[in-house]
Amino acid sequence: MSFADVDSAGSVAGTEARARDASAAAPAGPLSEVRAGERVIVVEVGLDAELAAWLGAMGLGPGQTLTSIRRAAFGGPLHVRTGSGGELAINATLARSILVAPLPSQRRVG
């Protein structure tokens, strides 16, 4: 296990459980489809292990929350804020490989 496998509270099982709960409760979709202002939880990172570990260390691993801040014009990068407060610009192609689900407070009823 690397440091990328442990969340800020030191709990690997906790982040994996949150990702499983989110994917079971709401349909997952790519990060590239998230609108500005939406908060989501990362369900899965469909990339090679090294890149997925780096993204996890940056706050984009399963079970971690993200807020979409803005989208660049013409298919440019997606600007996100991680649950720990870091901000990143994610390439649109990379964002399609990160599956996310809405947080429970954002789910629509009916």
Side-chain angles (χ1 to χ4, degrees):
M1 174 175 21
S2 72
F3 68 91
D5 297 325
V6 180
D7 69 6
S8 60
S11 170
V12 174
T15 55
E16 291 173 355
R18 284 193 303 272
R20 274 194 311 276
D21 291 346
S23 65
L31 178 59
S32 59
E33 299 297 318
V34 174
R35 287 181 255 152
E38 285 186 280
R39 292 189 65 219
V40 295
I41 187 165
V42 178
V43 175
E44 181 181 331
V45 179
L47 300 164
D48 67 72
E50 187 175 320
L51 185 52
W54 181 81
L55 287 171
M58 299 299 292
L60 277 94
Q64 297 174 325
T65 60
L66 301 174
T67 302
S68 174
I69 298 172
R70 69 180 140 268
R71 304 175 65 84
F74 307 110
L78 175 68
H79 185 188
V80 297
R81 180 176 298 120
T82 66
S84 61
E87 293 186 10
L88 302 161
I90 304 296
N91 172 296
T93 302
L94 187 63
R96 284 192 289 275
S97 299
I98 300 170
L99 293 179
V100 297
L103 289 177
S105 62
Q106 291 192 171
R107 292 194 191 118
R108 294 186 181 125
V109 177

